Amino acid sequence: PRKVDKLKLQAMGCGPGYKSPLDAMNGPREKIVYLPCIYRNTENRKPDYLATVDVDPKSATYCKVIHRLPMPNMNDELHHSGWNACSSCYGDTSKKRNRLILPSLISSRIYIIDVGTDSRAPRLHKTVEPVEMFWKCGLANPHTSHCLGSGQIMISTLGDPLGNGKGGFVLLDGETFEITGNWELPGEAAPFGYDFWYQPRHNVMMSTEWGAPKVLANGFNPADVKAGHYGQRIHVWDWTTHKCVQTLDLGEEGAIPLEIRFLHDPAAAEGYVGCALQGTVFHFSKTLKGDWTAERIIKVPTKKVVGWILPEMPSLITDILISLDDRFLYFSNWLHGDIRQYDITDKRNPHMVGQVFLGGSIQNDGPVKVLEDKELNRQPSPRIVKGKRIPGSPQMLQLSLDGKRLYVTTSLYSAWDKQFYPELIKQGSVMLQIDVDTTKGGLKVNENFLVDFGEEPEGPALAHEVRYPGGDCTSDIWL
């Protein structure tokens, strides 16, 4: 009987994940998604909220926000989210994916959201106040949340309570959601933190670096990079002993390494990291000796421009993801305004098979004139979907389990949105859907899909990361 219940849970999309990434590809189509919506740095003095959006084409409320859960506090800057249980707990019938972990990047609060009681109307289950993280861990500014096979939840951090860089990891009890302490050993925290991914079969975890919170909190200043307030390294951690065993310095070309993704195949000892500042993607892998190495495999050329803050405009790679079959790599260029799809069948030699422009800073009717472009013959036109001109630029990505639909939102982080795309603050962000050719590659905007967060009842909001209730290719890790 327990087996039947398990299958039933899986069919409902709320069990602890799937046996393998390829099994997940055959999972049910997403019907609703969750997105944090941010009001910090906008003209609306309101708390951030979690939006539930209907993405089922057969539904009467298709492309509509069907529920909003406001947080109890102001200026949290909700950002990324994770689960209390995912495919790393597959087979453990005592676990259910019924809580969404919602850390706040700026306030350092962690909200635990009950999505199990009614998945279409989430409710607040618990708030972990920042003082707990400060006192118990000496950490602040939580970013990425992953559940562990042990039943615990681990969250990476950007800083210490004073706003300096400090890449540590907070552990939460998976039942009580109390902070139990640090994952890393005393004195082992990295100088900066951001994202992480673990691969137990290789006894490894990798983490990346953004910058010091007090420097990036209110905008981006290129001088802060030169002054050493932003990172350029990948940290390699021993998964068993929790020690940092190696640091890969990616150099200037690898400045601001953000999202890190291992291949989904748990036996694989390789993956990719997107580095924002120079528009590069590095491939990392395990050597025969047993240590790790990284090499640059993609570089998006900068564009020579006038009418912008600098004479050269980098692409600013902000989000990357890998399809569940480890065949395609996707990333967004938040300044240039495009999303790219690469075939990574040959892992070290990716080739671009799809590209689509959605907004960005080089549109042909905007203030920026491109003087020299190594890739395009002309500046892209503005993108209009369902009568709306898309403000901002593609940023967070989420791929459907079968790999055929790519969801994209246009806000990066409220302080940087305000600086680079002031119209985004006034108009709110959007969520779009890109149709993916999974046979030979190719991207095409779905002209019938638009969720306009400029039309929200409390005023325009900045929608960020997309999560599916049944798990997705950026939240689930297989053991």
Side-chain angles (χ1 to χ4, degrees), residues 438-471:
T438 53
T439 313
K440 53 185 190 294
L443 301 176
K444 192 167 168 280
V445 176
N446 177 343
E447 299 292 348
N448 299 312
F449 187 101
L450 171 76
V451 185
D452 184 357
F453 291 93
E455 300 292 317
E456 286 294 86
E458 300 282 2
L462 303 169
H464 196 60
E465 191 191 39
V466 177
R467 278 274 169 259
Y468 306 151

Side-chain angles (χ1 to χ4, degrees), residues 303 305 313 335-336 357 360-364 368 370 376 379-380:
K303 299 179 193 294
V305 293
M313 184 191 288
L335 288 175
H336 292 176
F357 277 85
S361 298
I362 55 162
Q363 295 172 76
N364 59 17
V368 176
V370 179
L376 303 176
Q379 293 180 229

Side-chain angles (χ1 to χ4, degrees), residues 2-212:
R2 286 188 80 160
K3 221 175 194 173
V4 174
D5 287 347
K6 184 81 188 296
L7 289 172
K8 222 178 188 174
L9 277 173
Q10 272 174 253
M12 285 160 60
C14 58
Y18 299 89
K19 189 178 182 179
S20 74
L22 296 180
D23 282 2
M25 287 190 87
N26 298 314
R29 182 185 167 126
E30 67 287 352
K31 290 190 173 167
I32 58 169
V33 297
Y34 302 124
L35 301 92
C37 290
I38 291 87
Y39 276 138
R40 181 176 168 265
N41 274 314
T42 71
E43 287 150 22
N44 301 308
R45 304 288 304 137
K46 301 277 179 190
D48 299 346
Y49 60 98
L50 183 71
T52 306
V53 175
D54 187 330
V55 293
D56 180 0
K58 300 189 182 108
S59 165
T61 49
Y62 181 52
C63 281
K64 297 270 189 292
V65 179
I66 55 170
H67 186 266
R68 297 168 188 87
L69 175 69
M71 297 303 121
N73 302 282
M74 303 277 282
N75 294 321
D76 281 316
E77 188 94 34
L78 301 180
H79 198 61
H80 286 212
S81 61
W83 297 107
N84 64 320
C86 77
S87 296
S88 63
C89 307
Y90 179 83
D92 183 344
T93 48
S94 70
K95 299 276 186 294
K96 261 191 194 176
R97 191 195 305 259
N98 60 2
R99 299 285 183 268
L100 187 68
I101 314 301
L102 203 47
S104 306
L105 191 63
I106 295 299
S107 72
S108 298
R109 275 185 195 90
I110 304 167
Y111 295 109
I112 313 298
I113 311 297
D114 173 1
V115 292
T117 308
D118 182 351
S119 64
R120 296 174 76 86
R123 55 191 77 174
L124 183 60
H125 174 71
K126 180 177 175 148
T127 304
V128 182
E129 291 297 342
V131 73
E132 258 207 83
M133 196 185 300
F134 299 165
W135 286 354
K136 288 183 178 174
C137 305
L139 296 171
N141 310 99
H143 188 271
T144 300
S145 169
H146 279 302
C147 57
L148 312 183
S150 65
Q152 291 174 299
I153 294 145
M154 185 153 122
I155 306 175
S156 60
T157 67
L158 267 58
D160 69 12
L162 296 173
N164 305 304
K166 190 177 182 185
F169 305 90
V170 174
L171 285 174
L172 261 69
D173 181 282
E175 301 293 325
T176 64
F177 304 104
E178 293 283 318
I179 289 182
T180 56
N182 301 60
W183 178 85
E184 79 281 4
L185 298 173
E188 286 281 311
F192 300 105
Y194 184 73
D195 193 25
F196 74 100
W197 197 280
Y198 61 87
Q199 208 76 318
R201 290 196 200 178
H202 297 281
N203 189 36
V204 71
M205 179 180 88
M206 300 271 198
S207 70
T208 59
E209 301 187 326
W210 186 5

Side-chain angles (χ1 to χ4, degrees), residues 352-369:
M352 186 160 76
V353 290
Q355 182 179 31
V356 68
F357 277 85
L358 303 166
S361 298
I362 55 162
Q363 295 172 76
N364 59 17
D365 64 348
V368 176
K369 188 169 159 38

Side-chain angles (χ1 to χ4, degrees), residues 395-410:
Q395 210 283 107
M396 289 310 294
L397 305 174
Q398 191 54 269
L399 190 64
S400 60
L401 296 176
D402 62 10
K404 291 177 179 170
R405 291 168 302 286
L406 186 69
Y407 293 92
V408 54
T409 56
T410 51

